[in-house]
Amino acid sequence: MPNLLEGKTALILGVANKWSLAYAIAQAYRREGAKLVLTYQAERIKVTVEELGQSLGADKVFQCDVTKEEELGRLTSELRNDGGLDTVMHSIAFANREDLDRPFLETSRAGYLLAQEVSAYSLVAVARATAPLMPSGGSLLTLTYLGSQRVLPNYNVMGVAKAALEATVRYLASDLGPKKIRVNAISAGPVKTASARAIKDFSVILDVVTQRAPLRRNTEPAEVGDAAVFLASDLSRGVTGNIIYVDSGFHIMGL
Ligand code: 1JT
């Protein structure tokens, strides 16, 4: 494999554990020669993420809660002194468990707003905080899921948040294109991450994919990592505002 990200610095938000898609993406970026900067949301996972950073060969690990403007501002200043960025991977989402368990109709105002703030608005906030660190252009990337486009059982408020996130990708791509910053998303097939483990009947979802997806198998985190390498690298220099499906082809099927 050539070193597709040699000389580039990548900021990755959302590595929480070894199963995180962000972890697989970080591994792929590192393999391709990128310098890594990781962030974690709160003190509670500081030690874990610092250890993950060490195992990945990350250069730096910072705290940054994306719902706090002052923490994003601090991240910007710390990274500015460090020589800027070339690519940013946003791998952050949250919804209250009860909103993924009961009918969508029962979603509370607070639960809806929380999912939107953490899962969709945070991309706007991260884009504003990091664009100045990419003065000669760069790539911003996020993760989404088919539940944004179609109704899937239990995805509920996250589906609505991912729909907003995908529209956010397009509006940011339009705003940041003139600055040579590209903005894209990977729509990953379901993967048994820590977030997914808590979802009831998640193994049924995985089984349906193996039966019906064109490739007849589930998505591996490393496949998402490799697609992310493409989108972070100059190979994708003409690609912006796009949602790339890395899902064994599941999204094309009607039944
Ligand atoms: C969150 C969770 C965001 C789980 C997520 C997610 N994006 C994808 N998944 C996995 C998933 C979940 C369901 C599903 C398919 C995939 C949990 C915590 C909050 C953020 O149903 C078809 C429910």
Side-chain angles (χ1 to χ4, degrees), residues 30 37 68 70 76 91 95 113 139 150 155 160 182 184 188 190-191 197 204 209 222 227 238 252:
R30 191 75 202 105
V37 180
K68 304 203 170 103
E70 65 276 16
T76 307
S91 183
L113 293 174
S139 156
R150 294 218 274 263
Y155 203 61
V160 177
R182 300 179 294 105
N184 294 288
V191 176
R197 239 171 260 272
V204 176
V209 172
I252 68 168

mmCIF file of all heavy atoms in Angstrom, residues 30 37 68 70 76 91 95 113 139 150 155 160 182 184 188 190-191 197 204 209 222 227 238 252:
data_model
loop_
_atom_site.group_PDB
_atom_site.id
_atom_site.type_symbol
_atom_site.label_atom_id
_atom_site.label_comp_id
_atom_site.label_asym_id
_atom_site.label_seq_id
_atom_site.Cartn_x
_atom_site.Cartn_y
_atom_site.Cartn_z
ATOM 1 N N ARG A 30 -3.201 5.974 10.047
ATOM 2 C CA ARG A 30 -1.829 5.796 10.550
ATOM 3 C C ARG A 30 -1.019 4.929 9.589
ATOM 4 O O ARG A 30 0.128 5.218 9.255
ATOM 5 C CB ARG A 30 -1.900 5.168 11.951
ATOM 6 C CG ARG A 30 -0.617 5.145 12.705
ATOM 7 C CD ARG A 30 -0.243 6.515 13.254
ATOM 8 N NE ARG A 30 1.191 6.545 13.487
ATOM 9 C CZ ARG A 30 2.066 7.179 12.710
ATOM 10 N NH1 ARG A 30 1.660 7.912 11.703
ATOM 11 N NH2 ARG A 30 3.348 7.117 12.976
ATOM 12 N N VAL A 37 -4.217 13.200 15.639
ATOM 13 C CA VAL A 37 -4.624 13.912 16.844
ATOM 14 C C VAL A 37 -6.017 13.392 17.195
ATOM 15 O O VAL A 37 -6.908 13.388 16.351
ATOM 16 C CB VAL A 37 -4.682 15.440 16.615
ATOM 17 C CG1 VAL A 37 -5.119 16.154 17.892
ATOM 18 C CG2 VAL A 37 -3.345 15.978 16.112
ATOM 19 N N LYS A 68 -19.635 22.203 23.499
ATOM 20 C CA LYS A 68 -19.139 23.369 24.229
ATOM 21 C C LYS A 68 -18.231 24.206 23.346
ATOM 22 O O LYS A 68 -17.112 23.809 23.016
ATOM 23 C CB LYS A 68 -18.421 22.934 25.505
ATOM 24 C CG LYS A 68 -19.323 22.083 26.396
ATOM 25 C CD LYS A 68 -18.910 22.089 27.852
ATOM 26 C CE LYS A 68 -19.964 21.441 28.725
ATOM 27 N NZ LYS A 68 -19.601 20.075 29.147
ATOM 28 N N GLU A 70 -16.489 26.794 23.920
ATOM 29 C CA GLU A 70 -15.174 27.171 24.468
ATOM 30 C C GLU A 70 -14.169 26.024 24.335
ATOM 31 O O GLU A 70 -12.978 26.251 24.152
ATOM 32 C CB GLU A 70 -15.292 27.692 25.911
ATOM 33 C CG GLU A 70 -15.762 26.716 26.973
ATOM 34 C CD GLU A 70 -17.297 26.578 27.086
ATOM 35 O OE1 GLU A 70 -18.020 27.010 26.156
ATOM 36 O OE2 GLU A 70 -17.763 26.010 28.089
ATOM 37 N N THR A 76 -8.968 24.621 18.721
ATOM 38 C CA THR A 76 -8.448 25.421 17.594
ATOM 39 C C THR A 76 -7.106 26.052 17.963
ATOM 40 O O THR A 76 -6.136 25.943 17.199
ATOM 41 C CB THR A 76 -9.441 26.525 17.187
ATOM 42 O OG1 THR A 76 -10.714 25.936 16.950
ATOM 43 C CG2 THR A 76 -8.988 27.268 15.946
ATOM 44 N N SER A 91 -16.783 11.555 14.170
ATOM 45 C CA SER A 91 -17.417 10.245 14.385
ATOM 46 C C SER A 91 -18.177 10.272 15.709
ATOM 47 O O SER A 91 -17.882 9.522 16.633
ATOM 48 C CB SER A 91 -16.327 9.163 14.388
ATOM 49 O OG SER A 91 -16.907 7.891 14.511
ATOM 50 N N ALA A 95 -28.000 9.599 21.135
ATOM 51 C CA ALA A 95 -29.443 9.696 21.374
ATOM 52 C C ALA A 95 -29.713 8.975 22.683
ATOM 53 O O ALA A 95 -28.974 8.057 23.056
ATOM 54 C CB ALA A 95 -30.227 9.052 20.253
ATOM 55 N N LEU A 113 -33.896 17.248 20.441
ATOM 56 C CA LEU A 113 -32.911 18.335 20.367
ATOM 57 C C LEU A 113 -31.510 17.854 20.728
ATOM 58 O O LEU A 113 -30.527 18.274 20.107
ATOM 59 C CB LEU A 113 -33.342 19.502 21.260
ATOM 60 C CG LEU A 113 -34.610 20.228 20.783
ATOM 61 C CD1 LEU A 113 -35.056 21.267 21.811
ATOM 62 C CD2 LEU A 113 -34.397 20.894 19.423
ATOM 63 N N SER A 139 -9.948 18.167 4.084
ATOM 64 C CA SER A 139 -11.079 17.261 3.930
ATOM 65 C C SER A 139 -11.741 17.041 5.282
ATOM 66 O O SER A 139 -11.080 16.785 6.280
ATOM 67 C CB SER A 139 -10.561 15.940 3.347
ATOM 68 O OG SER A 139 -11.425 14.880 3.661
ATOM 69 N N ARG A 150 -34.257 6.045 5.004
ATOM 70 C CA ARG A 150 -35.353 5.087 5.056
ATOM 71 C C ARG A 150 -35.666 4.747 6.491
ATOM 72 O O ARG A 150 -34.819 4.881 7.375
ATOM 73 C CB ARG A 150 -34.940 3.840 4.285
ATOM 74 C CG ARG A 150 -34.785 4.207 2.801
ATOM 75 C CD ARG A 150 -35.246 3.160 1.924
ATOM 76 N NE ARG A 150 -34.144 2.239 1.734
ATOM 77 C CZ ARG A 150 -33.322 2.274 0.686
ATOM 78 N NH1 ARG A 150 -33.515 3.128 -0.270
ATOM 79 N NH2 ARG A 150 -32.338 1.437 0.604
ATOM 80 N N TYR A 155 -34.343 2.925 14.763
ATOM 81 C CA TYR A 155 -33.318 3.958 14.540
ATOM 82 C C TYR A 155 -33.879 5.348 14.873
ATOM 83 O O TYR A 155 -33.158 6.230 15.339
ATOM 84 C CB TYR A 155 -32.748 3.881 13.121
ATOM 85 C CG TYR A 155 -31.368 4.507 13.036
ATOM 86 C CD1 TYR A 155 -30.304 4.011 13.772
ATOM 87 C CD2 TYR A 155 -31.139 5.609 12.225
ATOM 88 C CE1 TYR A 155 -29.052 4.584 13.708
ATOM 89 C CE2 TYR A 155 -29.876 6.194 12.149
ATOM 90 C CZ TYR A 155 -28.845 5.674 12.896
ATOM 91 O OH TYR A 155 -27.608 6.261 12.835
ATOM 92 N N VAL A 160 -33.554 10.817 12.006
ATOM 93 C CA VAL A 160 -33.853 12.230 11.736
ATOM 94 C C VAL A 160 -32.575 13.068 11.905
ATOM 95 O O VAL A 160 -32.294 13.961 11.096
ATOM 96 C CB VAL A 160 -34.989 12.722 12.665
ATOM 97 C CG1 VAL A 160 -35.265 14.201 12.449
ATOM 98 C CG2 VAL A 160 -36.252 11.898 12.437
ATOM 99 N N ARG A 182 -13.091 20.007 1.327
ATOM 100 C CA ARG A 182 -14.140 19.089 0.889
ATOM 101 C C ARG A 182 -14.854 18.498 2.097
ATOM 102 O O ARG A 182 -14.250 18.326 3.157
ATOM 103 C CB ARG A 182 -13.528 17.974 0.038
ATOM 104 C CG ARG A 182 -12.824 18.515 -1.205
ATOM 105 C CD ARG A 182 -12.194 17.426 -2.049
ATOM 106 N NE ARG A 182 -11.093 16.749 -1.395
ATOM 107 C CZ ARG A 182 -11.147 15.528 -0.880
ATOM 108 N NH1 ARG A 182 -12.250 14.817 -0.940
ATOM 109 N NH2 ARG A 182 -10.082 15.006 -0.308
ATOM 110 N N ASN A 184 -17.571 15.357 3.143
ATOM 111 C CA ASN A 184 -18.241 14.136 2.695
ATOM 112 C C ASN A 184 -18.641 13.288 3.894
ATOM 113 O O ASN A 184 -18.185 13.527 5.019
ATOM 114 C CB ASN A 184 -17.303 13.325 1.797
ATOM 115 C CG ASN A 184 -16.977 14.033 0.491
ATOM 116 O OD1 ASN A 184 -17.822 14.144 -0.400
ATOM 117 N ND2 ASN A 184 -15.753 14.558 0.382
ATOM 118 N N ALA A 188 -22.095 3.903 6.629
ATOM 119 C CA ALA A 188 -21.588 2.555 6.933
ATOM 120 C C ALA A 188 -22.741 1.596 7.176
ATOM 121 O O ALA A 188 -23.767 1.974 7.752
ATOM 122 C CB ALA A 188 -20.681 2.608 8.163
ATOM 123 N N PRO A 190 -24.429 -1.565 9.253
ATOM 124 C CA PRO A 190 -24.397 -1.753 10.707
ATOM 125 C C PRO A 190 -23.180 -2.561 11.162
ATOM 126 O O PRO A 190 -22.816 -3.552 10.535
ATOM 127 C CB PRO A 190 -25.696 -2.505 11.020
ATOM 128 C CG PRO A 190 -26.261 -2.944 9.719
ATOM 129 C CD PRO A 190 -25.630 -2.130 8.640
ATOM 130 N N VAL A 191 -22.526 -2.097 12.207
ATOM 131 C CA VAL A 191 -21.345 -2.747 12.784
ATOM 132 C C VAL A 191 -21.576 -2.859 14.284
ATOM 133 O O VAL A 191 -22.099 -1.931 14.905
ATOM 134 C CB VAL A 191 -20.071 -1.897 12.518
ATOM 135 C CG1 VAL A 191 -18.859 -2.524 13.192
ATOM 136 C CG2 VAL A 191 -19.814 -1.731 11.018
ATOM 137 N N ARG A 197 -24.175 -2.276 20.425
ATOM 138 C CA ARG A 197 -24.364 -3.415 21.318
ATOM 139 C C ARG A 197 -25.587 -3.245 22.220
ATOM 140 O O ARG A 197 -26.239 -4.212 22.590
ATOM 141 C CB ARG A 197 -23.129 -3.590 22.213
ATOM 142 C CG ARG A 197 -22.469 -4.936 22.062
ATOM 143 C CD ARG A 197 -21.148 -4.921 22.811
ATOM 144 N NE ARG A 197 -20.072 -4.708 21.858
ATOM 145 C CZ ARG A 197 -19.465 -5.699 21.206
ATOM 146 N NH1 ARG A 197 -19.783 -6.947 21.441
ATOM 147 N NH2 ARG A 197 -18.514 -5.443 20.351
ATOM 148 N N VAL A 204 -30.348 -9.286 14.803
ATOM 149 C CA VAL A 204 -31.318 -9.532 13.717
ATOM 150 C C VAL A 204 -30.981 -8.635 12.529
ATOM 151 O O VAL A 204 -30.993 -9.063 11.369
ATOM 152 C CB VAL A 204 -32.772 -9.282 14.200
ATOM 153 C CG1 VAL A 204 -33.764 -9.439 13.051
ATOM 154 C CG2 VAL A 204 -33.135 -10.206 15.359
ATOM 155 N N VAL A 209 -28.793 -8.222 6.902
ATOM 156 C CA VAL A 209 -27.775 -7.733 5.957
ATOM 157 C C VAL A 209 -27.055 -8.909 5.293
ATOM 158 O O VAL A 209 -26.883 -8.922 4.068
ATOM 159 C CB VAL A 209 -26.770 -6.776 6.650
ATOM 160 C CG1 VAL A 209 -25.612 -6.447 5.722
ATOM 161 C CG2 VAL A 209 -27.474 -5.499 7.100
ATOM 162 N N ALA A 222 -12.639 -2.148 9.055
ATOM 163 C CA ALA A 222 -11.475 -1.828 8.198
ATOM 164 C C ALA A 222 -11.909 -1.332 6.816
ATOM 165 O O ALA A 222 -11.189 -0.547 6.187
ATOM 166 C CB ALA A 222 -10.560 -3.044 8.057
ATOM 167 N N ALA A 227 -12.187 3.372 3.071
ATOM 168 C CA ALA A 227 -12.958 4.391 2.339
ATOM 169 C C ALA A 227 -12.619 5.780 2.891
ATOM 170 O O ALA A 227 -12.525 6.758 2.139
ATOM 171 C CB ALA A 227 -14.454 4.116 2.450
ATOM 172 N N GLY A 238 -11.651 15.502 -6.302
ATOM 173 C CA GLY A 238 -12.823 16.026 -7.012
ATOM 174 C C GLY A 238 -14.148 15.681 -6.355
ATOM 175 O O GLY A 238 -15.205 15.932 -6.933
ATOM 176 N N ILE A 252 -29.016 -0.527 -1.975
ATOM 177 C CA ILE A 252 -29.628 -0.541 -3.316
ATOM 178 C C ILE A 252 -30.843 -1.462 -3.380
ATOM 179 O O ILE A 252 -31.614 -1.397 -4.318
ATOM 180 C CB ILE A 252 -28.628 -0.969 -4.434
ATOM 181 C CG1 ILE A 252 -28.230 -2.449 -4.275
ATOM 182 C CG2 ILE A 252 -27.419 -0.051 -4.451
ATOM 183 C CD1 ILE A 252 -27.482 -3.009 -5.491
#
